[in-house]
Amino acid sequence: MSQLILGAYAQRNTDDHPPAYTPGYKTSVLRSPKNALISIAETLTEVTAPHFSADQFGPKDNDLILNYAKDGLPVGERIIVHGYVRDQFGRPVKNALLEVWQANASGRYRHPNDQFIGAMDPNFGGCGRMLTDANGYFVFRTIKPGPYPWRNRINEWRPAHIHFSLIADGWAQRLISQLYFEGDTLIDSCPIIKTIPSEEQRRALIALEDKSNFIEADSRCYRFDITLRGRRATYFENDLT
Amino acid sequence: MNNWNFQELHETPSQTGGPYVHIGLLPKQANIEVFDNNFNNNLLQEHTQGERIRLEGQVFDGLGLPLRDVLIEIWQADANGVYPSDADIQGRTADPHFQGWGRAGADFETGFWHFDTIKPGSVPGRKGTQQAPHIAMVIFARGINIGLNTRVYFEDEAEANANDPILKGIEWAPRRNTLVAKREERDGQIVYRFDVVIQGDNETVFFDI
């Protein structure tokens, strides 16, 4: 009998991510460390993470179309977003907490600091959450967000996007990012997307139209997969503890 | 099909949490009532074991101004140094009344954030070493492209801190002090003050974990 003993997470490939200091995204200039990050050998602190149980969640937590609806349905394009969360070695990430937030169909956020003229929707909140299943699968339903203007350069516009956050098996996997939608022409001019150094990695944030999973007379569908860091197995010395 | 063309996947690239990160992660702070159970900054349950503490502070930018839109999470062991996680391999039972994790948003006016929690026990380090009590912290905000990881240690654990393998691994010894929270007592409550400086003089140490 042999039991799988897990070692550390593979190191983060910093070339696959935006650097901290990205002057084209102006806010990063005063919010990025001057010093280099200090890399550490992982301990139990970095390979552990909290557990969330399904009974903490409500039945509409992953249904942004209905979870804030008061006197009717929200206005906008009905879409389903689904996909798989895996680690870099291809293993499914089970029971991970996936949280999402977004603007409404006008590109307006339900947030005290958003003053954009685009109309609020009284029936749309803009947040949801879910746990991945045993296959790493997730699915949620929402209104496709509109693009919105922001003050970076004065006429800057974000492409339509949904923010997402993952808490999985190890603290080292903690990740926040944004997904975009196939074909949006604003993707090519967005300074936030351009903080990502490689074209392949920028493409990894684009959800693809999943036509065969459209639901007739109801909703369209996008497919979006997420990859987290993975742990190596240990077959010799185990130095983690 | 053969295995010679095996290709490892690339981690999904990070993007900033943006200025409205609260909508998704702390909807009540954005005045949104959607969830019955909301995550928050209180790690204490009625029967949680250990010494109650408050951890508080501000996060400052390169001009010394507090970030009023920052979101902070902490992850820590229980009072006995056990993580409430399947990946903890110590073989000791974690406190069943402690999740070890919490999330706080800075106040929109003052930039102060806080957590109500317990002081964690000491956790094993690598190769039989012992780590000083510490809390892992990650910081997300507008302008921050990838979450900044740091650790909070405690000034009244000077001896353990002096032997901590992670602190000792910081070559520039004066920078170690940026990770040590200051203890005070306020109305009978133990408070640890931990300010984070993202950029400039006394810049906090951030880790690639």
Side-chain angles (χ1 to χ4, degrees):
Chain A
M1 183 180 115
S2 71
Q3 195 189 348
L4 186 66
I5 298 172
L6 292 172
Y9 283 91
Q11 84 176 359
R12 176 165 272 159
N13 183 355
T14 45
D15 293 338
D16 279 344
H17 292 275
Y21 175 74
T22 48
Y25 172 31
K26 297 179 182 182
T27 314
S28 76
V29 171
L30 285 171
R31 293 183 172 198
S32 48
K34 287 263 195 283
N35 286 283
L37 299 182
I38 294 180
S39 296
I40 60 172
E42 287 178 0
T43 71
L44 284 179
T45 306
E46 288 74 34
V47 302
T48 53
H51 171 79
F52 300 91
S53 65
D55 57 19
Q56 294 173 277
F57 295 80
K60 293 175 185 164
D61 281 9
N62 69 337
D63 186 352
L64 285 73
I65 291 182
L66 293 183
N67 71 15
Y68 196 82
K70 312 285 190 219
D71 52 8
L73 292 170
V75 174
E77 298 179 36
R78 298 169 62 88
I79 62 168
I80 290 165
V81 179
H82 70 156
Y84 291 87
V85 183
R86 291 166 295 183
D87 73 17
Q88 69 194 93
F89 303 116
R91 305 179 192 108
V93 178
K94 304 168 188 171
N95 213 44
L97 173 67
L98 173 60
E99 296 165 283
V100 299
W101 66 102
Q102 61 165 95
N104 68 19
S106 304
R108 176 78 182 269
Y109 283 94
R110 184 170 292 283
H111 191 284
N113 297 334
D114 188 0
Q115 303 298 323
F116 173 42
I117 190 174
M120 287 291 281
D121 185 333
N123 292 308
F124 189 72
C127 57
R129 60 187 187 180
M130 66 222 80
L131 295 173
T132 58
D133 73 9
N135 297 312
Y137 182 75
F138 69 86
V139 56
F140 64 96
R141 185 164 79 159
T142 191
I143 295 296
K144 192 176 178 188
Y148 78 91
W150 60 298
R151 236 169 68 172
N152 186 55
R153 295 174 296 181
I154 196 66
N155 199 13
E156 214 79 81
W157 289 76
R158 295 302 320 281
H161 64 280
I162 298 176
H163 297 264
F164 63 92
S165 163
L166 279 151
I167 300 178
D169 301 313
W171 193 241
Q173 296 174 300
R174 184 78 185 89
L175 181 72
I176 286 183
S177 190
Q178 305 178 27
L179 74 81
Y180 307 99
F181 295 93
E182 181 178 6
D184 188 336
T185 54
L186 289 167
I187 290 172
D188 288 337
S189 56
C190 176
I192 288 180
I193 300 178
K194 284 181 184 172
T195 62
I196 300 168
S198 78
E199 173 66 26
E200 293 78 3
Q201 285 293 83
R202 291 193 288 271
R203 269 209 305 272
L205 292 182
I206 300 175
L208 302 176
E209 204 172 52
D210 187 356
K211 283 209 179 69
S212 55
N213 272 308
F214 287 10
I215 298 174
E216 62 276 13
D218 189 325
S219 301
R220 288 184 301 130
C221 183
Y222 284 89
R223 168 70 183 254
F224 185 70
D225 293 340
I226 299 167
T227 305
L228 299 180
R229 291 169 68 188
R231 287 180 83 172
R232 298 186 303 265
T234 298
Y235 300 100
F236 304 101
E237 292 82 2
N238 182 14
D239 293 336
L240 193 62
T241 54
Chain B
M1 182 77 179
N2 65 56
N3 285 330
W4 297 106
N5 57 15
F6 165 77
Q7 278 207 324
E8 195 178 301
L9 302 167
H10 291 257
E11 186 186 9
T12 298
S14 178
Q15 294 267 264
T16 179
Y20 309 133
V21 64
H22 317 87
I23 292 174
L25 302 188
L26 289 169
K28 285 170 88 82
Q29 192 175 349
N31 306 317
I32 299 174
E33 295 285 350
V34 166
F35 304 134
D36 290 336
N37 297 303
N38 285 276
F39 304 133
N40 61 38
N41 58 349
N42 181 12
L43 286 75
L44 299 174
Q45 301 167 27
E46 187 184 352
H47 298 294
T48 303
Q49 302 161 28
E51 181 185 31
R52 263 84 176 139
I53 64 169
R54 173 165 286 202
L55 179 65
E56 67 175 25
Q58 293 169 294
V59 179
F60 297 100
D61 69 14
L63 287 181
L65 299 172
L67 273 60
R68 299 179 302 167
D69 54 8
V70 68
L71 183 124
I72 296 179
E73 290 179 359
I74 59 172
W75 169 239
Q76 65 168 98
D78 69 13
N80 296 312
V82 181
Y83 283 103
S85 162
D86 291 343
D88 186 303
I89 51 171
Q90 297 182 72
R92 299 192 287 149
T93 305
D95 181 350
H97 304 290
F98 190 63
Q99 198 191 10
W101 173 84
R103 176 183 280 165
D107 184 273
F108 287 147
E109 303 295 325
T110 66
F112 273 101
W113 52 264
H114 74 268
F115 292 92
D116 290 314
T117 185
I118 52 116
K119 193 171 176 188
S122 170
V123 175
R126 294 173 69 86
K127 301 187 188 183
T129 60
Q130 199 66 18
Q131 303 187 70
H134 65 277
I135 295 176
M137 176 180 280
V138 65
I139 295 167
F140 297 102
R142 174 173 69 103
I144 297 177
N145 289 325
I146 185 162
L148 292 169
N149 285 291
T150 187
R151 281 182 171 209
V152 183
Y153 290 84
F154 303 92
E155 77 169 345
D156 54 342
E157 298 285 345
E159 188 180 336
N161 291 345
N163 294 309
D164 180 80
I166 301 293
L167 286 173
K168 284 198 294 189
I170 301 169
E171 176 187 345
W172 306 273
R175 297 201 68 205
R176 297 171 191 168
N177 297 329
T178 66
L179 302 183
V180 181
K182 303 285 182 283
R183 186 183 195 275
E184 58 182 274
E185 281 187 44
R186 192 187 303 154
D187 307 327
Q189 188 181 30
I190 297 165
V191 179
Y192 288 92
R193 174 73 184 254
F194 186 73
D195 287 330
V196 174
V197 178
I198 295 180
Q199 183 188 91
D201 291 341
N202 293 313
E203 185 174 297
T204 301
V205 168
F206 297 108
F207 295 112
D208 169 29
I209 63 175

